[in-house]
Amino acid sequence: MNIFRLAGDMTHLASVLVLLLKIHTIKSCAGVSLKTQELYAIVFATRYLDIFTSFYSIYNTLMKLIFLGSSFSIVWYMRYHKTVRRTYDREQDTFRHWFLVLPCLLLALLIHEKFTFLEVLWTFSLYLEAVAILPQLVLLQRTRNIDNLTGQYVFLLGGYRGFYILNWIYRYLTEPHFVHWITWIAGLVQTLLYADFFYYYFQSWKNNKKLQLPA
Amino acid sequence: EETDAAHDEL
């Protein structure tokens, strides 16, 4: 464990807690893409299958349970909670996210480190996580004005992968044979997808005005 | 068993 990875995990944890806080306290999920939340639930479900077979540390297992629990409960809130589900803008959140799942699955079947069931699903979860934010970014473009909590959620989510890139550089430099091109490229693509959001987020923060994304 | 470092991350 290194400081970059810990910072990344804490930022990731903060992003899901911000979202859960928003949904639980104001009983609203306006501006949140259910599609992205469903993709994240699939990402965690396919990535943490090894929770039953291999144990790394209490921290590792605890965080996996937290991420699984939070992502599935956010999807539950947005789909079934009587008050929250009414605030979900279904008409705007129209990204065909299943078109993201299939290519990621095919790619995982083609490019992976080992051709085993767990490894292919794990690789699939990496590819899917890289693109999972797209429905949310599209929704933010459409709804234009972003409330603070949703903006913070996307910002923290992008930041966590940025910290992970520093972690991979650190591990590459300090651990012999730590080379995982698939993870690195997927993580880099994911972070780049946030680039323009980060740009507008900092612009709004610097000029201290409401975050507006160009149409 | 030997836990490969690739999957020790979240």
Side-chain angles (χ1 to χ4, degrees), chain A residues 10-24:
Chain A
M10 291 306 111
T11 307
H12 193 191
L13 181 65
S15 71
V16 289
L17 294 184
V18 157
L19 192 57
L20 261 181
L21 181 87
K22 163 179 171 138
I23 292 174
H24 182 72

Side-chain angles (χ1 to χ4, degrees), chain A residues 50-61:
Chain A
D50 64 350
I51 198 168
F52 307 110
T53 56
S54 52
F55 176 80
Y56 297 98
S57 66
I58 301 280
Y59 170 81
N60 186 272
T61 304

Side-chain angles (χ1 to χ4, degrees), chain A residues 151-180:
Chain A
Q152 277 156 14
Y153 165 70
V154 176
F155 175 72
L156 290 167
L157 205 52
Y160 119 79
R161 221 54 180 157
F163 278 123
Y164 254 74
I165 290 175
L166 297 179
N167 152 64
W168 292 325
I169 295 170
Y170 177 85
R171 290 189 76 175
Y172 173 74
L173 295 176
T174 54
E175 293 173 31
H177 318 306
F178 186 82
V179 177
H180 295 288

